[in-house]
Amino acid sequence: MQASWQSTLRGVCLASGLSLGLWASAHATTPADQLAAYSAQVGAAANPARGQQFFTSKHGKDWACASCHTAVPTVDGKHASTGKVIGPLAPAFNPERFTDTAKTEKWFRRNCNDVVGRECTAGEKADVLAWLTSLKR
Amino acid sequence: MNLFSQSAMRHACLWVLLGSGLALGTAHAQTAGSAQAAAKYRQECAACHIAYPPGMMPAASWQKLMSGLTKHYGADASLDDATVRELSTWLGANAGTYRRVSEEPPQNRITQTAWFLRKHREGEVPADVWKRASVRSASNCMACHAGADKGIFNEDAVRIPK
């Protein structure tokens, strides 16, 4: 009984470890690689100053990116409606940021819809990411 | 009704709610699939607010909520189709079945369920509490229930902030 439990447990652990590994390899990336990919889609270099302008401005709706992430997102932000703390968005201050393409795309999709009322263009994403990665300790 | 029996009844209610999934699967024997779905529920939904226990609303309310994630109480909370399916199934399986949870609340809001309104009625929670900067919203469970993010809503541990 004990042995079969252990073997089952080992199987489950192995399987979940394996699937986690596959998941990670399917989406793992770096902020620099994501910036390069967005810039390649546009066919031009990103503009950090334009990214900052985009991030801190409202675009005809109630919220700006900065409403939740703060105007210089090297510090914790706060969800504008729930009040939940949001970790820093700038990668130098939060190494988890922009390391998973699926997660990056999910949040750009949702938040651009809330802030701009549509999905962001690759150019807008590149500019914002260029600005965020320019924020250093 | 004397104090003892009132308190006994509260405890009975608590236990029934716990049994109906309020504790978010902590003490339940779970299959690997449902444990994975529970973890995903926490990962996705608790990114913006606490992982509200599925036992707090009936299955029909969760299904409606999950079919409208692009317009989720003023924000786009959309997920990919596979995740929506996985979480919907899990929420349906762990939704509230207790009598007081069976009625669908307006706008699929936990804070509009009959049991929530009864538990937080004027005699229990003064009306001005909800307007305090430290509370802000009835959906902000953590303001008074410090263990809410772990599925703990024990009345004895409630601390209403100034």
Side-chain angles (χ1 to χ4, degrees):
Chain A
M1 184 65 191
Q2 179 110 32
S4 98
W5 246 110
Q6 275 177 350
S7 130
T8 307
L9 198 68
R10 214 170 21 239
V12 169
C13 290
L14 195 68
S16 48
L18 201 65
S19 55
L20 272 177
L22 284 172
W23 173 260
S25 68
H27 299 284
T29 185
T30 64
D33 284 349
Q34 281 190 302
L35 174 55
Y38 288 134
S39 301
Q41 280 182 54
V42 184
N47 181 330
R50 208 164 50 201
Q52 178 176 18
Q53 176 70 28
F54 182 89
F55 191 90
T56 51
S57 307
K58 286 192 181 176
H59 301 265
K61 304 200 74 171
D62 290 347
W63 294 336
C65 307
S67 304
C68 296
H69 290 293
T70 79
V72 185
T74 57
V75 293
D76 280 348
K78 208 166 102 177
H79 195 290
S81 59
T82 69
K84 186 161 175 113
V85 171
I86 301 170
L89 189 57
F93 298 80
N94 186 350
E96 280 179 28
R97 295 299 192 188
F98 303 98
T99 57
D100 179 326
T101 53
K103 195 172 175 183
T104 301
E105 281 298 298
K106 176 180 81 177
W107 285 104
F108 265 133
R109 185 189 71 236
R110 292 171 163 185
N111 295 354
C112 289
N113 196 18
D114 284 338
V115 169
V116 197
R118 58 166 171 78
E119 295 212 15
C120 286
T121 63
E124 287 163 343
K125 293 177 196 175
D127 288 347
V128 166
L129 190 47
W131 176 58
L132 292 175
T133 51
S134 76
L135 300 170
K136 300 293 184 201
R137 280 185 182 274
Chain B
M1 191 185 285
N2 68 31
L3 264 178
F4 174 76
S5 70
Q6 230 175 31
S7 147
M9 201 176 86
R10 281 182 180 174
H11 281 112
C13 289
L14 186 71
W15 282 110
V16 177
L17 283 169
L18 282 169
S20 64
L22 191 67
L24 203 61
T26 42
H28 295 262
Q30 288 184 323
T31 61
S34 84
Q36 201 173 41
K40 189 165 261 188
Y41 175 72
R42 187 170 287 280
Q43 176 197 310
E44 294 295 349
C45 305
C48 298
H49 50 67
I50 68 155
Y52 296 112
M56 288 184 165
M57 283 203 300
S61 300
W62 287 115
Q63 299 318 313
K64 285 176 188 157
L65 182 148
M66 289 302 288
S67 65
L69 285 178
T70 51
K71 290 188 168 63
H72 186 72
Y73 311 107
D76 181 340
S78 57
L79 292 163
D80 64 86
D81 292 345
T83 305
V84 169
R85 271 197 303 276
E86 184 182 359
L87 297 187
S88 296
T89 303
W90 182 80
L91 285 165
N94 293 280
T97 52
Y98 177 52
R99 185 172 55 86
R100 287 199 185 275
V101 184
S102 61
E103 195 178 314
E104 286 180 59
Q107 300 171 307
N108 314 309
R109 287 180 186 269
I110 291 169
T111 53
Q112 293 295 313
T113 57
W115 71 263
F116 184 98
L117 294 171
R118 190 179 59 85
K119 284 277 187 190
H120 301 83
R121 65 187 180 274
E122 175 66 25
E124 299 275 349
V125 183
D128 75 288
V129 164
W130 307 105
K131 301 192 188 87
R132 291 178 192 168
S134 52
V135 176
R136 255 170 15 108
S137 161
S139 62
N140 184 16
C141 309
M142 293 286 283
C144 307
H145 300 272
D149 58 343
K150 294 172 186 71
I152 299 165
F153 292 86
N154 188 336
E155 280 183 43
D156 298 336
V158 169
R159 297 285 176 273
I160 297 178
K162 295 285 175 210

